[in-house]
Amino acid sequence: MDFVRRSLQEGIAEIRIERPLVNAIEGRLVDELSASFRQIAEDPGVRASVLTGTDKFFSFGFDIPLFLGWSKAEFSGYLSRFTSLYREVFSHPKPVVAALNGHAVAGGCMLATACDAGPARGSAGGPAKRWLVTLCA
């Protein structure tokens, strides 16, 4: 995966968005996040997950400059995939907490609100993880 890093500790999966510069959302990131959440749903070793970003941004939302060159059909296809991701996170069978390490704008805010709990402020190893460990113990 190019833009998503996954780790597992004490039954809590961390899904970290790492797309320079501001974790803007585009097609590959959507696909990688969807794949990560599907894998976590099927993994019996994962009890819950924390979705977070990198640096000063959880996510700045859609990568608008990239989309300016797309056709209406391409953008419509992207919106369908993003909507599917939103539904996957919202209806995920295991708890998902948004650990907002920074700004969550537009589509980034939508991802955060699709989570079961959040916004938890700070790093994924902080209060969000402690909350999940307590919840899932």
Side-chain angles (χ1 to χ4, degrees), residues 19-20 24-26 60-68 78:
R19 184 167 183 259
I25 304 168
E26 49 77 60
F60 199 72
F62 291 177
D63 190 343
I64 301 298
L66 175 70
F67 300 146
L68 292 175
Y78 164 78

Side-chain angles (χ1 to χ4, degrees), residues 8-69:
L8 180 64
Q9 186 178 10
E10 300 176 44
I12 308 300
E14 177 185 291
I15 301 172
R16 180 175 298 277
I17 302 169
E18 292 186 352
R19 184 167 183 259
L21 295 166
V22 294
N23 297 324
I25 304 168
E26 49 77 60
R28 283 191 306 167
L29 178 57
V30 167
D31 294 342
E32 290 180 18
L33 287 170
S34 290
S36 293
F37 280 108
R38 282 192 304 272
Q39 291 167 356
I40 286 169
E42 297 170 2
D43 187 340
V46 176
R47 297 179 314 202
S49 60
V50 175
L51 176 62
T52 192
T54 307
D55 297 325
K56 296 178 183 179
F57 292 92
F58 174 79
S59 173
F60 199 72
F62 291 177
D63 190 343
I64 301 298
L66 175 70
F67 300 146
L68 292 175

Side-chain angles (χ1 to χ4, degrees), residues 71-123:
S71 69
K72 184 177 181 179
E74 289 172 315
F75 188 64
S76 292
Y78 164 78
L79 287 179
S80 293
R81 288 173 27 222
F82 179 79
T83 302
S84 293
L85 169 63
Y86 183 87
R87 281 193 305 264
E88 286 175 32
V89 174
F90 184 79
S91 62
H92 201 271
K94 298 176 183 180
V96 180
V97 170
L100 300 184
N101 56 296
H103 302 288
V105 180
C109 182
M110 289 177 68
L111 277 180
T113 60
C115 296
D116 296 303
R121 297 183 77 182
S123 71

